[in-house]
Amino acid sequence: CSFAVYGKQWYQRRVRGDSSDPKRLFERQARRLREEKQRAVLHRRIKRTDKVVRGRVSKIRDRLGDVVTYQGREYTDKMDHDLTEMLYWLQQERRQSALERGGMVMIDLPPIDPSAIV
């Protein structure tokens, strides 16, 4: 879904950019309010899109008796964990960058087990 890609890119820009800079906390409140409004708009769009997609996946299951999957994983389960997984991987990328700046390199990260996410 292009919206999921857009959301990930937006979070990456925020995590790698201004939002990880502690100096931003001392900036004008107006900027932080704009950031909050941006987040609120994106979260509303995500909820609206989530509702539409879940309705269509449900129709496919009910009418055709088929399960929608993505890379072998039930799509509604994937949707339930997308944000958590995205934030996990962004955090891992940030850790990797911090270690590289310090002269250390992390080994490849193990894949996340979707069933372990609560």
Side-chain angles (χ1 to χ4, degrees):
C1 174
S2 63
F3 185 74
V5 171
Y6 172 78
K8 180 178 180 182
Q9 291 170 348
W10 184 84
Y11 267 96
Q12 284 177 330
R13 281 195 311 272
R14 303 315 296 164
V15 169
R16 289 185 181 148
D18 300 342
S19 65
S20 62
D21 182 5
K23 289 183 277 183
R24 82 178 181 85
L25 298 175
F26 300 102
E27 293 176 357
R28 299 180 121 176
Q29 185 175 3
R31 182 172 178 183
R32 291 195 311 264
L33 289 173
R34 278 195 311 270
E35 288 178 3
E36 177 57 32
K37 284 183 183 180
Q38 285 178 322
R39 277 191 297 277
V41 166
L42 286 174
H43 284 286
R44 281 193 302 272
R45 288 175 64 188
I46 288 170
K47 281 185 176 183
R48 210 171 23 243
T49 303
D50 186 81
K51 187 175 181 178
V52 170
V53 171
R54 285 181 189 279
R56 292 183 181 165
V57 167
S58 179
K59 283 182 184 178
I60 290 171
R61 186 186 57 240
D62 295 345
R63 291 182 184 173
L64 303 175
D66 202 2
V67 176
V68 177
T69 62
Y70 178 77
Q71 294 181 343
R73 185 172 165 195
E74 189 173 337
Y75 197 72
T76 53
D77 178 59
K78 179 189 178 316
M79 289 172 58
D80 291 338
H81 298 98
D82 271 348
L83 181 62
T84 304
E85 290 177 14
M86 177 184 66
L87 293 174
Y88 169 82
W89 287 111
L90 290 172
Q91 178 66 24
Q92 296 307 315
E93 288 175 12
R94 226 168 43 184
R95 286 180 181 164
Q96 177 73 33
S97 296
L99 288 172
E100 288 172 355
R101 283 191 308 269
M104 299 174 70
V105 178
M106 289 176 64
I107 58 171
D108 284 338
L109 300 170
I112 192 167
D113 179 10
S115 64
I117 299 175
V118 178

